[in-house]
Amino acid sequence: MAQKHSIKFFAGRNSRYLAEKIANSFGIELGKSSVTEFSDGEFQPSFDESVRGCTVFIIQSTFPPTDNLFELFLMVDAAHRASAHKVVAVMPYFGWARQDRKDKPRVSIGAKLVANLLSASGVDRIMTMDLHADQIQGFFDVPVDHLYASSIFVPYIKSLNLEDLAVAAPDMGGAKRAHAYSRFLDASMIICHKQREKANVVGHMTAIGDVKGKNVIIFDDMIDTAGTIAMAADMMMSMGAKSVRAVVTHPVLSGPAYERIANSALTEVCVTDTIPLRTDVDTSKIKVLTVADHFADVIDKVYNYKSISSTFIQ
């Protein structure tokens, strides 16, 4: 069996809330690190304990601002320069994932650039959840552990004991994900077709499938401005749905998102804690499930050279 090295967990500043839960679930304390900030906005992370010869897991979601991503680069680089054996970037939310291809002329492929920068920083492995596009795994030349939130969401949905259940995709791109959930939940499927006027603005939407008399659950990997999901919920209620819920992995929730959710026909929005919610707004319709135990379990399997395929239900 391959030799195991000591394991240590560290966190970026804005993901500490989740890293502490993952470390607690794993059964160890979070490592000590600090960040020196300069007056011009530059910053320098440092480890306040030895990582020599250790397998280091750095937990940091890369939600805005960009500082979170660059802090991760610096921490990976610092760990290697401090003679860590391996450095694993645990990125519950992988930012820039919507930029996975050239969808119009003269634009960047941001997800590929992030992958290149992570590789340049010296990362040995990536661990993330519900990528916006599966092919992003192929942007890396190091192993990528792509976890699915379905193992968290499916038990919760079953506990609701909803009758006449229907699963909906908010757009054609989410049809594969919705189909997988429809199989797990033995539910019928609905697909929303939307036409965008521009980024984050939906012009027109229609639904394909039987909506009347159904308890509908809309599945997506992220919720940004909540425009699409709020419009879909209002549309389906007008078509005779009993209720509409949304189950979304990453609560980006920018701009008017919180207000839109509060004022929409949605009964509930179920999300994970890959990104923290704001505390100064109405979140009464939002249910948060933690991913900490799931990440701790996969980290344990990776560290002990065990198969992780048994943790996937999608």
Side-chain angles (χ1 to χ4, degrees):
M1 183 176 180
Q3 179 186 1
K4 288 196 297 181
H5 296 253
S6 297
I7 185 171
K8 291 194 176 185
F9 288 8
F10 294 91
R13 287 172 293 180
N14 288 335
S15 291
R16 191 174 183 89
Y17 73 98
L18 178 56
E20 287 176 341
K21 289 189 281 187
I22 293 173
N24 183 63
S25 180
F26 189 86
I28 64 174
E29 289 188 6
L30 199 59
K32 296 179 176 62
S33 61
S34 59
V35 178
T36 301
E37 295 190 9
F38 302 95
S39 61
D40 64 350
E42 190 176 314
F43 57 89
Q44 183 181 49
S46 64
F47 297 101
D48 299 335
E49 59 187 77
S50 175
V51 296
R52 184 177 297 273
C54 297
T55 299
V56 174
F57 288 82
I58 300 172
I59 301 162
Q60 176 81 312
S61 282
T62 59
F63 51 87
T66 312
D67 284 3
N68 291 313
L69 178 61
F70 202 76
E71 184 178 336
L72 177 60
F73 296 150
L74 293 175
M75 291 184 77
V76 171
D77 182 70
H80 267 298
R81 292 179 188 278
S83 301
H85 171 65
K86 294 281 187 182
V87 182
V88 181
V90 181
M91 305 169 67
Y93 171 68
F94 184 98
W96 284 265
R98 283 174 285 188
Q99 299 180 38
D100 62 308
R101 66 198 184 284
K102 285 190 68 172
D103 56 352
K104 57 184 178 181
R106 298 176 296 282
V107 297
S108 67
I109 302 179
K112 173 59 176 170
L113 178 59
V114 170
N116 288 345
L117 291 170
L118 281 164
S119 296
S121 70
V123 75
D124 295 294
R125 192 181 195 99
I126 302 292
M127 193 175 290
T128 189
M129 175 171 277
D130 280 2
L131 287 167
H132 186 68
D134 287 345
Q135 67 264 24
I136 291 172
Q137 297 171 80
F139 293 172
F140 291 91
D141 292 325
V142 296
V144 177
D145 299 313
H146 186 202
L147 283 59
Y148 295 101
S150 52
S151 59
I152 300 165
F153 287 141
V154 168
Y156 173 72
I157 294 166
K158 288 182 176 178
S159 74
L160 297 176
N161 295 314
L162 296 172
E163 297 180 350
D164 301 314
L165 185 62
V167 167
D171 51 39
M172 300 301 288
K176 180 181 177 183
R177 179 182 295 103
H179 177 66
Y181 276 103
S182 71
R183 286 190 292 106
F184 295 138
L185 298 168
D186 192 23
S188 60
M189 188 170 162
I190 300 164
I191 298 177
C192 299
H193 176 65
K194 64 183 180 184
Q195 294 176 328
R196 287 196 182 275
E197 291 181 358
K198 56 183 178 180
N200 293 128
V201 178
V202 179
H204 178 68
M205 178 178 286
T206 56
I208 305 168
D210 186 14
V211 176
K212 190 173 182 179
K214 299 289 187 180
N215 287 303
V216 181
I217 300 180
I218 304 170
F219 289 93
D220 210 350
D221 63 300
M222 69 172 68
I223 179 169
D224 190 354
T225 62
T228 297
I229 283 177
M231 181 182 286
D234 294 343
M235 176 190 66
M236 290 180 189
M237 289 301 291
S238 70
M239 294 173 68
K242 287 182 183 177
S243 68
V244 182
R245 289 171 170 81
V247 173
V248 185
T249 307
H250 307 298
V252 179
L253 297 175
S254 64
Y258 287 95
E259 184 179 353
R260 282 176 173 168
I261 290 170
N263 296 331
S264 72
L266 287 161
T267 300
E268 179 184 57
V269 177
C270 183
V271 300
T272 74
D273 54 357
T274 58
I275 299 173
L277 300 184
R278 285 171 54 186
T279 57
D280 60 337
V281 290
D282 180 8
T283 59
S284 58
K285 285 188 176 183
I286 303 177
K287 167 78 173 178
V288 181
L289 302 179
T290 186
V291 298
D293 293 341
H294 191 35
F295 271 96
D297 179 49
V298 173
I299 289 170
D300 178 69
K301 286 181 167 63
V302 168
Y303 176 62
N304 289 293
Y305 303 104
K306 296 179 181 178
S307 171
I308 65 172
S309 59
S310 61
T311 65
F312 300 152
I313 65 171
Q314 180 166 325

